[in-house]
């Protein structure tokens, strides 16, 4: 008689609080592990409040005014692509991690530097080539981005121009999802950023004590605890795959 191995997340209902390509990819991976993903985007992205400033910065970029363009999210890549932005050959591009680098490559941008050990703002400036720099850097980020990367690049010797490329806004979850979370029918919640953590706390706290909270990295775990949520497992790197692996490892230990 053939014994079919049980999938590690069989029966788990997992809240995926982001939609789009990220949410679809994570949901597909979870299904392959036996879980039932509940995709309920809790944040979304909107146009910047100051489009003129953004357009001005992108014109400077195209004119070759910056030595580096530093990109920290796929959403920023979408903004660059939607403006038809061309990065001149003399401007190098740094991506905060493999996911962002992949989005840049798909959009036709050549990436010059990606940190290898830590896919975060701190990892990027800690692993910066040569450990120092000079010239101007364009840093387009969310309007609520923390100043960690700005401060780190400035400390390396760069003249950094921060520009708000987009706004991060909260999205109310449905009454059905909120009821599922409150009743404990959701076994785990994936937290992919500090903004997601803050929306989870604002909309769904307190979470049932049995609900597993998995965070995409140490910084997100810190933000999640600061939002008042308990963290059960932390991904080793800032990638969707690592986040799912952390949840699987937790589930296997608890089994």
């Amino acid at each position: 008689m053939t014994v079919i191995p049980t999938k590690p997340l069989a029966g788990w209902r997992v809240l995926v609080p982001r939609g789009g390509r990220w949410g679809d990819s994570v949901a597909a991976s979870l299904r392959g592990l036996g879980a039932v993903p509940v995709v309920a985007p809790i944040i979304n992205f909107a146009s910047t409040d100051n489009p003129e400033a953004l357009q001005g910065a992108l014109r400077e970029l195209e004119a070759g005014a910056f030595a580096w363009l530093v990109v920290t999210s796929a959403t920023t890549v979408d903004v660059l692509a939607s403006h038809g932005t061309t990065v001149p050959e003399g401007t190098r591009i740094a991506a905060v991690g493999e996911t962002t680098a992949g989005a840049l490559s798909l959009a036709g941008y050549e990436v010059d530097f990606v940190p290898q050990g830590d896919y975060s703002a701190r990892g990027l400036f800690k692993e910066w080539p040569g450990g120092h720099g000079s010239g101007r850097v364009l840093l387009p980020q969310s309007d609520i981005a923390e100043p960690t990367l700005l401060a780190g690049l400035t400390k390396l010797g760069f003249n950094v121009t921060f520009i708000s490329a987009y706004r991060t806004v909260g999205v109310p979850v449905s009454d059905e999802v909120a009821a599922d979370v409150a009743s404990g029918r959701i076994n785990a919640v994936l937290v992919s950023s500090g903004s997601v953590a803050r929306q989870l706390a604002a909309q769904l706290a307190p979470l049932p004590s049995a609900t597993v909270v998995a965070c995409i990295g140490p910084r997100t775990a810190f933000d999640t605890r600061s939002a008042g949520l308990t963290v059960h497992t932390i991904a080793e790197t800032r990638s969707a795959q690592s986040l799912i692996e952390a949840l699987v490892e937790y589930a296997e230990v608890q089994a």
Side-chain angles (χ1 to χ4, degrees):
M1 178 178 178
T2 301
V3 177
I4 300 175
T6 303
K7 294 183 178 181
L9 295 179
W12 283 59
R13 300 183 78 240
V14 181
L15 183 66
V16 181
R18 280 179 56 187
R21 290 173 298 197
W22 192 93
D24 290 344
S25 174
V26 168
S29 296
L30 289 170
R31 290 189 191 98
L33 294 166
V36 177
V38 179
V39 180
I42 204 166
I43 60 169
N44 204 347
F45 307 106
S47 299
T48 175
D49 283 334
N50 194 343
E52 294 81 9
L54 174 61
Q55 290 165 7
L58 295 181
R59 284 195 295 269
E60 279 196 272
L61 174 66
E62 292 188 320
F66 296 98
W68 283 88
L69 168 66
V70 176
V71 183
T72 60
S73 72
T75 305
T76 298
V77 179
D78 291 339
V79 171
L80 294 171
S82 68
H83 283 78
T85 306
T86 300
V87 179
E89 289 186 5
T91 301
R92 302 175 73 186
I93 300 178
V96 76
E98 288 184 349
T99 301
T100 303
L104 282 163
S105 296
L106 286 173
Y109 297 104
E110 184 175 345
V111 180
D112 298 283
F113 168 61
V114 184
Q116 298 302 306
D118 180 2
Y119 297 154
S120 70
R122 286 180 174 81
L124 192 143
F125 69 75
K126 284 182 179 179
E127 295 184 35
W128 194 269
H132 60 84
S134 62
R136 297 183 67 193
V137 171
L138 180 61
L139 180 61
Q141 290 184 291
S142 165
D143 61 326
I144 60 171
E146 296 186 1
T148 305
L149 188 51
L150 173 61
L153 291 171
T154 300
K155 189 175 180 180
L156 289 177
F158 288 110
N159 177 9
V160 184
T161 297
F162 166 82
I163 189 70
S164 173
Y166 58 92
R167 291 179 294 124
T168 302
V169 296
V171 177
V173 300
S174 68
D175 291 342
E176 180 182 2
V177 169
D180 279 354
V181 172
S183 68
R185 291 192 68 230
I186 298 293
N187 303 99
V189 177
L190 303 182
V191 185
S192 58
S193 68
S195 53
V196 165
R198 288 184 285 273
Q199 284 298 318
L200 287 170
Q203 296 190 43
L204 300 175
L207 300 179
S209 59
T211 302
V212 178
V213 176
C215 294
I216 204 167
R219 178 67 212 185
T220 299
F222 175 85
D223 291 338
T224 301
R225 294 188 181 104
S226 296
L229 301 177
T230 299
V231 174
H232 298 87
T233 184
I234 305 171
E236 292 184 1
T237 62
R238 286 185 59 85
S239 70
Q241 184 59 38
S242 183
L243 179 59
I244 294 169
E245 288 172 357
L247 181 59
V248 168
E249 289 175 5
Y250 184 88
E252 290 176 336
V253 169
Q254 298 302 309

